[in-house]
Amino acid sequence: MKASTAKHIAYNLRPSKQAERRILVDLLKCANEAGVTISDCRYVGMGGSLFYDFHLIHRFLGVKKMVSLERSPEMYRRSVFNCPYDFIKVKNTTVAEFIAADLDKTRTIYWLDYDDGIGPDITADIISLGTRLRPGGFAFVTVYAEPPGFLEKETPEGRLDYFVNNLGEFSAGLTKDNMENSEFSTTIHGILMSAFSSAFSARRDGRFRPLFQVQYKDSTTMITVGGCFCGQKPGSKVERRIKKDLPFLMSKTLPYKIKHLNLTEKERALFDIAVTRALSSSKQSNQLRELGFKDKDFEFYRELIRFLPRYYESII
Amino acid sequence: MAQTISAAASPEKRLFISLITRDISLSDAILDIIDNSINAALEPIASRLKTADDYQNVLADPKLKAKVTIDVTIGSARIVVRDTAPGISADVAAKHVFKFGREDSGENKNDRLSVYGIGLKRAMFKCGNRITIKSDHAEGGFDLSLDVKRWQDIRVDPWTFDITTRPPVKTGTGTQIVITELYDDVVARISDGLFINHLRDLITRTYSFFIDRIVIIKVNDVVINSELFEIGDNYASHKFAYDGVSCNITAGIAVVKGDTFRDKNAGWYIFCNGRTVLFADKTSLTGWGAGLPIYQPKHRPFFGTVFFVSTDPEALPWTTTKSSINEESAVWQEASRHMTTVGRVITAFLDRRYSEDGTEIAPRELQSVAGTPVRMLTAAIAVQRAFRPPAAISSKTKTISYSAQMADIKRIANHLRRPSMSGSDVGRFTFQHYLKNEVGSDE
């Protein structure tokens, strides 16, 4: 089993994860521009000890009411120690306990960024989000999209048994084929989508729009599904805005895959010019083609140009 | 030239009776008749019963004393249900009571347990061929004498029953239903020595909110006692309203009976307008194995209630037999998600309460976590609150214990060239090996 990326790569140096975070923040910015005010929202996430998402959401969206959930008593102590802002409440609790006890009426952005494979607790957390999310709120869930370690060496039949025995109605219709490694991420995506759809199906005060479906990989494939719960009019405005600014999120039924291009700084400089030039052919693009880059790479870079991080070593 | 002609589409009485009686048990049919009596008994206070909180406040009032007696007598020759409720007026009987199905006119705005306008007729048809009803009412009651087989043969539309009026009464109101010429399968069921006790148990559980407060119920002269459910005051609760239905959900730890939690009392209890629809349900219908874990004996202390209330009983999520839930009902779908949110903090705590060596925490110790016992009614009207699980005792070690084939242990020991290695040493070695080589260091 591959250990979690967070364990052996510094959490803030995972380029695909960082791109995913930035796209998510940009999606919230789009929603803000479409009339769903974000700075008034509360943010509930899992800050761990680095609070990277909390930094981004405060800095770029102005959110000043935040809750970080940490279930492990040991990690909780580190989390409190490393908490960057005074307005973040760090709570030593599970998502289930927090949601059941939460009486706050503020519109909320939940990002349940699990370092874990899908299981009954996670699908139940999504169902619980469906009972608490207020119109104008957002919910995102991130899980492993590869077989978790204890299923890695299992046969497809063994994996299917686990899903049937543990995921209840969310395992309905799954077959051995869905358990193959090549299909696993699609299966997890399907389960997350079903859970979100089921969680909000009976609500009459709005509709859940799955605006964000992103798959990425630093060392382990992860998937994030989420979106906005709101009425027809604001929902359509948000969708139109996202379609304009982040069209790659809207045009696919399958999750958008963040491609890891692994570029040098010199190559990035060429890509920056090539994909922002009106003409498809340029000195820079020709140079990149000579280096072996394909049309698809240009397309990916064009989509992700604003979101791919740059990391440098510095001596503090 | 094409003509428009009317094609016959009216129901056959024989088929109609067969359809409406096929899916109801004898005990549920008798409960349908009792529902009618309780519905009448609730009428004087119906205007105070609009939300879940109203019900629970009214029914939790210690000053409230039952004014109506329902006397059920069951024998192999006849079934008699007699009540001292305000009775049914001849006018209401002529216009509403015997119609198959409720009207949409809002005429029955005080009905709370009468839902579809079919229960009484279905119950009568289920049990026997001869039915007599006598009802005394302040505005004048009625008599009905019905031979079902003969009525079946009358082919006149619209369908009617002949009733005769009775004079108004100032005291001694009430209704008596007598069913004779019982059907063979009904007689066989009644003859089963277990049936009467089963019925008493069912009545106890179905009407626990009404017994002693609204009605006194007797079955073959035995007074039915209400079942006093209690829950520890460290519970979780949530309230919501949906499409004219108000709903209170509570989950916590039951109060121990004797030295152990009883399996038959564990699970979800679903009430519609105070009437129990599901008792101690542990199936996927109430989320077990879906949002909640699959029910296991360790969940025996779980006690959850869902209290639905509406002034329009048809908006409630019960089935026509009132013995189950209409899963397609939107309010039920919404409630089931809230049940997951409220219930799983309790199941998660119960899942965690096993000590290292797998020994269950003694029920009495669990009771101290549950808190002071309170009546379920009190819990159900509480404002939204959270269950407070005890702080987890953080331990740095955990005992792992499992069985393995002797031959496999020997094979590993031989592979390590230490054939005398004990089973526990093989276990420790393989654990460390996996930790080092598969998982990797955490530091």
Side-chain angles (χ1 to χ4, degrees), chain B residues 47-191:
Chain B
S47 60
R48 291 165 59 197
L49 298 175
K50 289 181 177 159
T51 65
D53 286 357
D54 291 344
Y55 261 80
Q56 293 159 351
N57 284 325
V58 166
L59 297 176
D61 180 354
K63 290 179 198 151
L64 192 68
K65 296 283 176 224
K67 293 186 179 128
V68 169
T69 300
I70 302 167
D71 216 328
V72 182
T73 309
I74 297 173
S76 54
R78 61 175 55 203
I79 295 171
V80 181
V81 180
R82 188 185 298 122
D83 73 51
T84 59
I88 304 163
S89 71
D91 186 48
V92 169
K95 289 179 182 162
H96 305 295
V97 172
F98 296 108
K99 277 189 79 119
F100 289 96
R102 267 164 70 100
E103 287 164 312
D104 209 14
S105 61
E107 282 281 334
N108 313 320
K109 59 180 186 293
N110 285 334
D111 280 347
R112 292 296 179 268
L113 298 192
S114 180
V115 189
Y116 300 101
I118 203 150
L120 175 65
K121 283 80 73 181
R122 174 160 64 182
M124 294 174 349
F125 289 152
K126 173 81 184 177
C127 297
N129 183 55
R130 295 233 18 134
I131 295 140
T132 62
I133 301 180
K134 179 181 84 172
S135 192
D136 283 311
H137 189 271
E139 293 167 11
F142 73 93
D143 279 307
L144 163 82
S145 179
L146 182 70
D147 182 318
V148 178
K149 281 183 191 141
R150 286 181 61 187
W151 179 78
Q152 233 172 253
D153 293 335
I154 301 168
R155 309 181 76 81
V156 176
D157 286 329
W159 299 350
T160 56
F161 294 148
D162 292 332
I163 60 172
T164 53
T165 57
R166 292 175 65 81
V169 293
K170 283 188 175 164
T171 56
T173 58
T175 303
Q176 175 180 280
I177 298 169
V178 181
I179 306 169
T180 52
E181 296 181 21
L182 302 181
Y183 298 125
D184 290 347
D185 45 358
V186 171
V187 173
R189 183 81 179 100
I190 290 170
S191 309

Side-chain angles (χ1 to χ4, degrees), chain B residues 285-307:
Chain B
L285 178 62
T286 49
W288 295 97
L292 299 175
I294 292 168
Y295 178 83
Q296 295 170 51
K298 65 181 171 182
H299 299 127
R300 273 182 196 149
F302 182 94
F303 188 85
T305 64
V306 186
F307 209 93

Side-chain angles (χ1 to χ4, degrees), chain A residues 1 3 7 74 96-97 99-103 121 124-125 127-128 131-132 153 165 168-169 198-199 201-204, chain B residues 238 242-243 289-291 294 330 333-334 337-338 340-342 344-345 352 384-386 389 394 396 434 438-439 442:
Chain A
M1 173 199 170
K7 299 265 168 64
E74 290 79 22
E97 287 163 2
I99 293 178
D102 186 30
L103 297 174
D121 282 352
D125 284 344
I127 296 297
S128 290
T131 66
R132 290 293 194 268
K153 288 176 183 166
N165 292 333
E169 59 198 6
S198 173
S201 63
R203 294 279 295 265
R204 297 270 172 82
Chain B
H238 181 71
Y242 190 98
D243 276 359
I294 292 168
Q333 291 182 51
E334 180 67 0
R337 287 160 182 78
H338 287 283
T340 296
T341 302
V342 172
R344 59 199 286 252
V345 289
R352 286 200 306 266
Q384 184 174 325
R385 59 192 287 179
S394 159
K396 298 242 176 212
Y434 190 88
E438 293 289 330
V439 181
D442 217 16

